[in-house]
Amino acid sequence: MTRLLLIGPPGAGKGTQAERLALAFDVPAISTGDIFRYNVTTNTPLGLEVKSFMNAGAYVPDTLTNAIVADRLKEADAATGFLLDGYPRTTDQVAELDRLLGAEGTQLDVVVLITADTDEVVARLLKRAAEQGRADDTAEVIRHRLDVYTEQTAPLIDVYSARGLVVTIDGLGAVEVVTDRILVALAERGLRASTTTL
Ligand code: ADP
């Protein structure tokens, strides 16, 4: 059983690392951002509800986000572990995740904090904007997303640090190098990947 959370500012590389770590540990990567984007793209009722928040770089309301994650964690593939990417992001979401896991008698094993300085993340997000055209990757919305992260999500690092769960990983460098740093840090905590050939 491996229950991981990736946390870090927009553009730190959480999504990229989440995919790789999910393969390595053979657990599903659960990204609330991806779930919301899929619903926006396919025009579901949920997509219509969340679109304006996302395009403005604002967080989707906790009640909606919590309900989505509660459903997703009930799916069979999450029974033997999971990697959360982008959830929880608010203290209310932390409380809900604690409740969900507590009901199963479990908790998170490790919180991986991926760091990258603001200049670097802005540069990466602008590059992604040029390549992928994500609606929330404009300079103005990026600035807002960073502010929201600092205000609402950065405080979670203290919450999880107080529980002794946080490992901090430098997110600068090649993708594989960053993955290796994470795998080493997790192994030091007794979490061994089922494969390291990614
Ligand atoms: P990034 O972290 O790079 O900004 P994500 O793909 O993780 O990108 O999230 C994109 C958007 O999806 C967020 O700006 C927000 O609107 C919404 N979102 C994702 N996860 C959450 C969450 N846990 N709580 C509220 N909103 C969320």
Side-chain angles (χ1 to χ4, degrees):
M1 296 288 279
T2 311
R3 297 179 201 83
L4 300 173
L5 161 61
L6 289 191
I7 196 166
K14 296 184 300 292
T16 306
Q17 297 301 331
E19 293 297 331
R20 298 169 62 79
L21 295 169
L23 276 178
F25 283 92
D26 195 24
V27 292
I30 300 176
S31 157
T32 40
D34 282 351
I35 294 171
F36 290 144
R37 262 187 300 280
Y38 174 78
N39 279 275
V40 170
T41 309
T42 54
N43 276 311
T44 66
L46 172 68
L48 292 176
E49 224 171 325
V50 301
K51 187 176 180 175
S52 57
F53 294 106
M54 294 183 75
N55 288 352
Y59 284 171
V60 172
D62 285 333
T63 44
L64 210 50
T65 309
N66 285 335
I68 297 297
V69 173
D71 277 353
R72 181 62 186 87
L73 288 178
K74 278 187 214 133
E75 285 179 37
D77 65 342
T80 54
F82 52 78
L83 191 159
L84 289 169
D85 160 18
Y87 179 94
R89 282 191 205 212
T90 66
T91 45
D92 272 7
Q93 292 178 13
V94 171
E96 171 65 2
L97 180 63
D98 286 345
R99 198 187 62 74
L100 287 172
L101 297 182
E104 305 289 322
T106 65
Q107 55 183 356
L108 291 172
D109 295 315
V110 174
V111 174
V112 178
L113 168 64
I114 305 182
T115 61
D117 63 41
T118 305
D119 288 348
E120 172 71 16
V121 300
V122 170
R124 287 184 188 179
L125 292 170
L126 289 173
K127 182 163 174 273
R128 184 171 75 185
E131 290 165 359
Q132 299 176 12
R134 235 175 81 166
D136 60 350
D137 277 345
T138 64
E140 194 191 338
V141 176
I142 289 169
R143 219 173 300 120
H144 185 60
R145 281 159 60 204
L146 287 168
D147 287 346
V148 174
Y149 173 81
T150 304
E151 273 165 36
Q152 303 214 43
T153 304
L156 272 47
I157 297 163
D158 287 342
V159 172
Y160 286 122
S161 293
R163 299 183 192 178
L165 291 180
V166 176
V167 298
T168 303
I169 303 293
D170 179 0
L172 294 192
V175 168
E176 313 80 60
V177 174
V178 176
T179 309
D180 282 343
R181 286 181 195 139
I182 299 173
L183 291 175
V184 168
L186 292 177
E188 280 168 5
R189 295 230 163 189
L191 293 179
R192 292 199 179 275
S194 36
T195 173
T196 49
T197 42
L198 297 170

